[in-house]
Amino acid sequence: MSAVQRHAVVAGAGIGGLTAALALHRKGWRVTVCERAPGPASAGAGIVLAPNALRAFDAIGFDIGGAAGRALPAAMGLRRPDGRWLSRADTAALAARYGGPPLALHRSALADALTAALPAGTVRHGVEVTTVDGADGFPVVRTSAGDLDGSADLVVAADGIHSPLRRRYFPDHPGLRHSGETAWRTVLPAAASPAGAVTAETWGRGERFGTVPLADGRTYLYATAVAPEGYRPTDVRAELLRRYGTWHDPIPALLQRIDPAAVLQHDLYDLAAPLPRFHHGRLAWLGDAAHAMTPNLGQGGCQAVEDAVVLAHLLDGAGPGGVPQALAAYSAARCARTDAIRVRARRAGRVAAAAHPLAAALRDLAVRATPAGLAHRAMDGLFDGFTLPAGIDGASAGVGTRW
């Protein structure tokens, strides 16, 4: 660390932004996180942290299991609307293959745990980064509450799928592409959650429904449907019951327990094309701002965590004037992996959302016919793909390196 403590400003207090803040803090940076929301989000949805994200957290010494507990469903897999399994994966087998099982928890629990690991006052709610000037030199961060005092050594754009900073610095990029689907998400309280629930996604024709038991006893529910952009039913419960109310147990009972006011609906988008790079001078993009992807592989948040850890790792070897060089190395380390996953998620979504009866039948047959070993190998690149690259000084780093 230089004699004068370097200052990073993070735009956005989502999972990627908070992980970047914590990783930089543990490397000796002073960090300011600006979040436009007036306070921490209590509503929202669940997140499944795959083994690659858990390895990234482990690399910075953040024990998310200790912060949120652990839930280990006995099985997870894909089902048909009549309840028959298309494929199943044993949790113990996943843990043996990848060094640990996935962890499912509420997004707010993860955000709270990350925030609690930061110095008090790091996160400023109700303050939106509106623009960043002078990113080629020492950036001036302009916010809804006025300019931040002094210039920043680094600005991290973790400002989400609609990133204003991405639009400003990449004005010729085509932006977002609608996937053709909309999604509903909610979390049932523990008292309304079924005992013995398993993690499962059920595939119909142009419709999907998922259940995920969370570490704190609640149950995360999500559903997707092929629908035009902007489609919003007036009665959410009636809409969900119309689509999924005749599907296998416990789906109908779960739908009766939802609070319609707590159901989130969003159309699903990804980037229409990759960004040419994830940096500009002293400004870096991560997470949805850099590589928005559909949720079909469950990797959007996981890749944001990877981004944040790799970014802080490469900046650790940078001298006071070496931030732009470190950010160039960050682009080189992250662009190809994240774009390959973005494209793979898009393709997976097209298969899962098949609406024609023949296409859906062929899809189901292919899933049932795929050997478990082959299915596991197909996930190796995701779950075993996290690495810490060599630093800009040439020093190597292993995945298990502790900070």
Side-chain angles (χ1 to χ4, degrees), residues 7-168:
H7 181 212
V9 176
V10 179
I15 301 307
L18 290 172
T19 304
L22 179 59
L24 289 166
H25 165 65
R26 292 188 171 180
K27 288 296 188 181
W29 287 69
R30 178 171 66 90
V31 184
T32 301
V33 180
C34 297
E35 168 55 46
R36 65 172 172 262
S42 57
I47 183 171
V48 178
L49 296 174
N52 54 302
L54 296 174
R55 289 182 182 182
F57 277 134
D58 186 63
I60 62 173
F62 179 64
D63 180 13
I64 184 57
R70 289 195 175 274
L72 302 177
M76 56 190 72
L78 298 174
R79 305 179 79 172
R80 292 171 26 135
D82 62 8
R84 284 192 288 172
W85 288 91
L86 297 173
S87 69
R88 299 185 77 174
D90 180 72
T91 300
L94 289 175
R97 189 176 186 91
Y98 301 115
L103 172 64
L105 66 162
H106 199 287
R107 283 179 177 267
S108 65
L110 177 54
D112 290 347
L114 289 165
T115 301
L118 291 165
T122 297
V123 182
R124 301 183 184 180
H125 286 100
V127 178
E128 179 181 7
V129 172
T130 55
T131 192
V132 175
D133 292 334
D136 290 307
F138 284 91
V140 176
V141 179
R142 306 194 187 281
T143 79
S144 57
D147 295 354
L148 294 187
D149 293 337
S151 59
D153 298 279
L154 166 71
V155 179
V156 179
D159 52 346
I161 190 170
H162 299 288
S163 172
L165 293 176
R166 183 184 67 226
R167 291 198 300 268
R168 176 181 175 183

Side-chain angles (χ1 to χ4, degrees), residues 7-401:
H7 181 212
V9 176
V10 179
I15 301 307
L18 290 172
T19 304
L22 179 59
L24 289 166
H25 165 65
R26 292 188 171 180
K27 288 296 188 181
W29 287 69
R30 178 171 66 90
V31 184
T32 301
V33 180
C34 297
E35 168 55 46
R36 65 172 172 262
S42 57
I47 183 171
V48 178
L49 296 174
N52 54 302
L54 296 174
R55 289 182 182 182
F57 277 134
D58 186 63
I60 62 173
F62 179 64
D63 180 13
I64 184 57
R70 289 195 175 274
L72 302 177
M76 56 190 72
L78 298 174
R79 305 179 79 172
R80 292 171 26 135
D82 62 8
R84 284 192 288 172
W85 288 91
L86 297 173
S87 69
R88 299 185 77 174
D90 180 72
T91 300
L94 289 175
R97 189 176 186 91
Y98 301 115
L103 172 64
L105 66 162
H106 199 287
R107 283 179 177 267
S108 65
L110 177 54
D112 290 347
L114 289 165
T115 301
L118 291 165
T122 297
V123 182
R124 301 183 184 180
H125 286 100
V127 178
E128 179 181 7
V129 172
T130 55
T131 192
V132 175
D133 292 334
D136 290 307
F138 284 91
V140 176
V141 179
R142 306 194 187 281
T143 79
S144 57
D147 295 354
L148 294 187
D149 293 337
S151 59
D153 298 279
L154 166 71
V155 179
V156 179
D159 52 346
I161 190 170
H162 299 288
S163 172
L165 293 176
R166 183 184 67 226
R167 291 198 300 268
R168 176 181 175 183
Y169 281 91
F170 298 98
D172 297 327
H173 188 272
L176 298 175
R177 164 196 167 274
H178 183 232
S179 69
E181 292 183 276
T182 193
W184 296 271
R185 298 176 295 162
T186 194
V187 175
L188 291 181
S193 298
V198 298
T199 299
E201 185 170 288
T202 302
W203 287 0
R205 296 200 298 267
E207 297 170 334
R208 290 175 280 169
F209 194 96
T211 59
V212 183
L214 302 182
D216 60 5
R218 290 183 284 182
T219 301
Y220 170 41
L221 307 179
Y222 64 90
T224 70
V226 174
E229 189 173 12
Y231 174 74
R232 296 293 182 271
T234 55
D235 188 330
V236 172
R237 190 197 306 276
E239 175 76 4
L240 295 177
L241 285 170
R242 179 181 69 82
R243 291 181 178 275
Y244 313 101
T246 61
W247 289 18
H248 64 79
D249 291 334
I251 293 174
L254 293 175
L255 292 176
Q256 292 292 347
R257 299 172 187 174
I258 66 171
D259 175 5
V263 176
L264 305 176
Q265 183 180 356
H266 295 95
D267 294 336
L268 299 181
Y269 297 90
D270 64 359
L271 281 191
L275 290 182
R277 61 191 181 280
F278 290 172
H279 74 287
H280 180 98
R282 291 174 177 267
L283 175 58
W285 285 262
L286 60 73
D288 282 345
H291 46 68
M293 60 185 68
T294 55
N296 300 295
L297 299 176
Q299 280 289 311
C302 296
Q303 289 305 305
V305 171
E306 286 193 17
D307 290 344
V309 173
V310 170
L311 176 66
H313 165 72
L314 290 169
L315 283 162
D316 187 48
V323 170
Q325 181 185 359
L327 298 192
Y330 162 71
S331 279
R334 297 299 300 160
C335 283
R337 173 166 168 78
T338 56
D339 192 58
I341 295 172
R342 178 188 66 85
V343 171
R344 184 173 171 183
R346 177 185 293 183
R347 292 171 177 167
R350 289 172 178 164
V351 171
H356 190 279
L358 179 58
L362 291 174
R363 172 202 67 193
D364 293 353
L365 179 63
V367 172
R368 287 199 304 269
T370 302
L374 182 60
H376 286 159
R377 286 195 293 275
M379 302 306 289
D380 287 349
L382 295 179
F383 296 165
D384 278 338
F386 169 70
T387 59
L388 288 176
I392 61 173
D393 57 1
S396 61
V399 171
T401 301

